[in-house]
Structure formats: C-alpha cells, structure tokens
Amino acid sequence: MGGVAEAQTPRSGGTIRFTAPYGSSFANLDIHTSNRAQDEIWAKAIHRTLYNWDSTNNKPALELATSVTVSGDGLVYTYKLRNDAIFHHGRAMTADDVIWTFTRLMDGTKAYPGARYIRIIKGAVEVEKGQAKEISGLKKIDDHTLEITLTEKVDPGFYFYPSMLSIYPADEATKESFNARPVGLGPYKFAEYVPGSRLTAERWEKFYKPGKPYADKVVVSIIGEAAARDVAFRNKEIDASILGPTQYVAYKADPNLSKGILEVAEVYTRVMGLNPSFKPFSDKRVRQAINHAIDADLIIKRLNKEKAYRATSWLPLSSPAYDSALKPYAYDPEKAKKLLAEAGYPDGFEFEWTATSNESWGIPIVEAVIPMLEKVGIKVKIKPVEGTVLSEVARKGEYQAFIWSLSTGPDPLAALKCFHSATPQSACNYTLFKNPEFDKLLDEAGAAADPEKQIANLKKANAILYEEAPMWFFNYNKAVMAYQPWLKGLQPNATELAIQNYEEMWVDESSPAAK
C-alpha cells in the first residue's frame, strides 16, 4: 500500500477536481437507488451515513453519532446522535430522519440495494414484505437518541457505512425536487449537475467537523474512458485519476508520474456470474469446467498488467477470513472437457455473456476468454451494456452470464451473506445460490461469540463457494490512483480507492485551481 502522509498544514480554498471513472454517467441523484461505486464518488461530498469507513485503521467508525452503548446480549445498540449535524437546507438531523431513511430503504416495491444491510434490524423484513409499516427494531428515545435492535450479533458498523444508506431529511426527501437537487449532511452542498459531464458541490459552512472542509468546491468529472483520463491528468485538468492496467505500467515507468501513485489492495472480486436458470449452468460440473477452461493467470499478466491478484473464491486477500491454503482452479482444458462430457455436453454449448466496456473486467477480458472456452467447445456471444444497465441486469436475473467487479468486504460475514438462500437476487444473491450447509455455517458464524470460531466457519463457507463454483472467480483488485503533487489528504480506502472523504483533502497553492 502506497502512503500519502502529509506534514504540511492544510490550506483552505481552491477546488478539488476529482473523477468518476467507472462509466459515462451517474445513475441518478438518489443515492439510495444505486450500489455503484461510480455514484458513491459524488455522494461522499454531499451525504453522510451513520458510520463512515476509517481508512487509516481499516474499520468502520461512528460518523453521525458521538457514542454508542451495546446491550449484554449484543443485539441492542443505543446511539447518541450528533446534535450539530445540519442538513443543507438548514435543519438539524434527528432520530426521525434516521428512522425515516431506514424505513424507506425497506420498501419492498422499490428493491433498494441498501435493504440488504437494513435487514439485520429487527422488523425490517416485515416492512419489506408489506406486513408492517414501521421497523419494530428502530426506537426513538429522544431527538438525538436512537435505539436499534438487531436480529443477530454483528457489528452494525460494517452494515451502515455505505453511501446507499445515506441519511436523508424526511421533510425534503419526499419532494419531487429532491431527485434533482439532493440535500445531505456532507461537507459540500449540491450546486450543479450536468448529465454525462460533471457534478459540482460547494463548501457547506455548517459542516459538523470544525475547520473542514478545506476546499471551497469539489468538481467530480465523469470520465469513463482511460485514455481521456490520461490526457486530462497529463494536462493538469484533474487532480487524481484511477489507473487501468496499461496506464499503471506507463505511470510507474515515468520518473515524474511515478512519484504520485497510491496503491491499495481493495476488497473487490472480479467474477463471471452464471445464471442457474440457464440449463447448462445448473450443473456444478459445467461451472467447474468453465473455471478450469480459462487461463486466468495469463489474462492477469497480459491484460491486467499484474494490477490484480488471482482469485480463489469470493473472499479477497484483505479479508480476515481469506484462506491462503485454498488454491485457485488450475488451468486444465482437458479436465474441463471431461467435466463437460460428464454433464452431458461433450460438444459444448453456446451462451450470452453480458459485459461493459471496462478494460479491467469487461469486454476486453471477455474477448480474451472466448478462444479459451472455444477450445473446450463452449461458444460465447457478447452482449455489451452500460454500467448502469449491468446493475439492473444482475439484480433482475436477466442474463445468462455477466462479468462484474463486486464488493467482497470489508466484513466477511456480510460479504458471504450474498450467497445465503434468504438473500434475494435484488440485493446481491445474483446467481440465486442455495446450499443448506453453506446457510448453516453462515448462521452459526453470525451467532458465534468466539471470533475464531466465526472465522473458521466463514472459511468453510468460502470453500463451499469454491467447490460449487456459482461464478468464474477471476481476480481481486489492486486499485491504483495517480495524484497530482498539489493534492493532499488522499486516504488509502481499501473498500474503494475512488471513494474519498473530501473534507480531509486540500490543494496547495501550486494547483491550477488553487483560487
């Protein structure tokens, strides 16, 4: 992990010119509807959640609360909410806003992706199913005291920090204008959005962290093409840029650009999801054959330019439940052919593979895989889609196969719950995985008081995923960001390097946008 520690005194003023590199657009301005990192990039300027991710200590930390007490059984959390958190329309946040937000996210008719996290609150599932109007596990003690009762012993910090759980002002969020002009609790207030181009936010003077934010303005430019980001960065038009594999090699070799590189092992796993309703993929032997038929190491070396780590199963290298003893599927075309024949497909079959243009895990990777699969008799048709479409395709099961980079941490229990049979496809069980032994291990892990026993169960569950192969496990991401010498305060965020707390960042006087 590269460091960016600063010894200088932070400077106020100027503009932070950031980038959203994962597509040609934002989904919309309602962050509750999106589980894409692309949208979290702007949301971190405008919104805040009950917890935030502490990149320095690599764990969740309280954000909209000053303290929390936990009951003896580990199920009831009582939060003292901040009394200085002011929404951008001027009203102070109260417990009612948190309750309203969490209840909204459990609207079963809307299938908000954040519902997967709120389900740990007692009574949330009943609201989702339309059996109740209020979440019984949410109790307002007073305006700034909130009691949350969980259904199992988990650390809620791992659940309540993503931006898709941002706390909205209940009085404003119901207005039609909110989707065009979002109101949040973040360090910057919404100023302008030019679809397909940029989002601009201006300093919120009443932000609850004294002296912050430092910069006057944040501009998040949408630059999905790596070549366009490269030109903009070299022309000093942007302050930071996520690097793809080709740029990674070039920037490392440049004596000047190499001075400003931040590397982080992220908790993301790149996979091909296989739809079990497509007949060949309902057979485990076919899914295993695909894993054996693809030379993932070669692709990582040639196309990813070593900007990735080989995946074995779902949990990544930085996960506390990662099992180093588990070895990845060996590249073995003959074994793949044998498995296909045993499954009744000696001549192979054809399927449609949905993918975006992303160079690290999209169509270029699919194109490299196609001839490998053809060697064992499997033919592929590519279905190209935009990033915003891919999310909906996976959540609705409207695919035969997809390739995507998916969050697999930081909490291994929460990450593995995407494969629990009780987790719906609309949340994150995209391959409709069902395995009683897996469910039992996860349930026992959730109830375990002993951390070692919990980790042991999670490793066993992760090994079942490896064996069942609901996906082709491709790689774990090595995230790399190039930054200009005048940009200070970047954080090594292992949950997603492109998502930064902008209030911690500043630009010195050498920035072209210092004024």
Side-chain angles (χ1 to χ4, degrees), residues 200-233:
T200 303
E202 298 172 345
R203 182 208 303 264
W204 175 231
E205 299 292 350
K206 296 180 180 179
F207 187 55
Y208 47 81
K209 294 181 181 178
K212 297 178 182 179
Y214 301 116
D216 293 330
K217 190 184 295 184
V218 170
V219 177
V220 181
S221 297
I222 302 170
I223 313 178
E225 293 296 326
R229 286 197 307 279
D230 182 43
V231 171
F233 188 83

Side-chain angles (χ1 to χ4, degrees), residues 457-479:
N457 275 16
L458 295 177
K459 285 185 176 181
K460 290 177 183 177
N462 194 49
I464 288 174
L465 287 179
Y466 170 87
E467 170 69 19
E468 291 293 322
M471 300 172 164
W472 165 53
F473 298 108
F474 177 28
N475 69 45
Y476 307 127
N477 184 42
K478 179 199 288 186

Side-chain angles (χ1 to χ4, degrees), residues 233-362:
F233 188 83
R234 291 175 183 271
N235 287 341
K236 303 179 180 180
E237 297 166 359
I238 56 176
D239 297 335
S241 177
I242 291 290
L243 299 185
T246 303
Q247 291 177 332
Y248 178 50
V249 173
Y251 279 49
K252 281 202 302 180
D254 188 294
N256 291 316
L257 295 177
S258 62
K259 295 175 183 177
I261 293 179
L262 176 61
E263 298 182 11
V264 175
E266 280 187 343
V267 287
Y268 277 83
T269 303
R270 278 74 183 271
V271 295
M272 168 173 45
L274 305 171
N275 193 332
S277 65
F278 177 63
K279 190 169 183 257
F281 295 155
S282 66
D283 193 308
K284 178 173 72 174
R285 293 167 296 187
V286 172
R287 303 192 300 265
Q288 291 175 334
I290 284 177
N291 275 274
H292 281 299
I294 302 172
D295 190 345
D297 288 321
L298 181 62
I299 296 172
I300 290 169
K301 182 178 180 180
R302 297 283 178 83
L303 292 184
N304 295 120
K305 309 295 184 184
E306 305 289 356
K307 202 187 81 65
Y309 308 95
R310 177 73 190 278
T312 50
S313 186
W314 187 242
L315 296 179
L317 289 167
S318 47
S319 173
Y322 175 77
D323 188 353
S324 59
L326 201 62
K327 302 303 178 186
Y329 277 84
Y331 173 54
D332 191 339
E334 292 307 313
K335 187 169 185 178
K337 288 179 183 177
K338 183 180 178 183
L339 286 165
L340 288 171
E342 290 174 0
Y345 299 96
D347 300 319
F349 58 91
E350 183 175 313
F351 72 92
E352 183 180 78
W353 196 345
T354 302
T356 70
S357 60
N358 188 286
E359 66 172 328
S360 298
W361 46 264

Side-chain angles (χ1 to χ4, degrees), residues 32 49-50 98-107 112-128 135 137-138 148-152 156 158-162 164-167 427:
H32 285 176
T49 45
L50 188 57
V98 181
I99 292 171
W100 183 90
T101 296
F102 285 3
T103 304
R104 181 198 196 219
L105 288 166
M106 293 313 299
D107 183 343
Y112 290 112
R116 62 181 277 201
Y117 300 111
I118 306 300
R119 285 192 191 95
I120 66 165
I121 301 177
K122 182 181 178 182
V125 172
E126 284 75 12
V127 171
E128 184 177 40
I135 299 175
L138 294 176
I148 300 180
T149 302
L150 307 179
T151 58
E152 56 188 288
F158 284 112
Y159 289 72
F160 300 154
Y161 81 88
M164 67 181 86
L165 273 63
S166 294
I167 305 304

Side-chain angles (χ1 to χ4, degrees), residues 392-410:
E392 288 303 302
V393 163
R395 291 173 61 201
K396 292 179 180 178
E398 297 172 346
Y399 67 90
Q400 291 179 358
F402 68 79
I403 189 166
W404 204 2
S405 179
L406 293 166
S407 175
T408 47

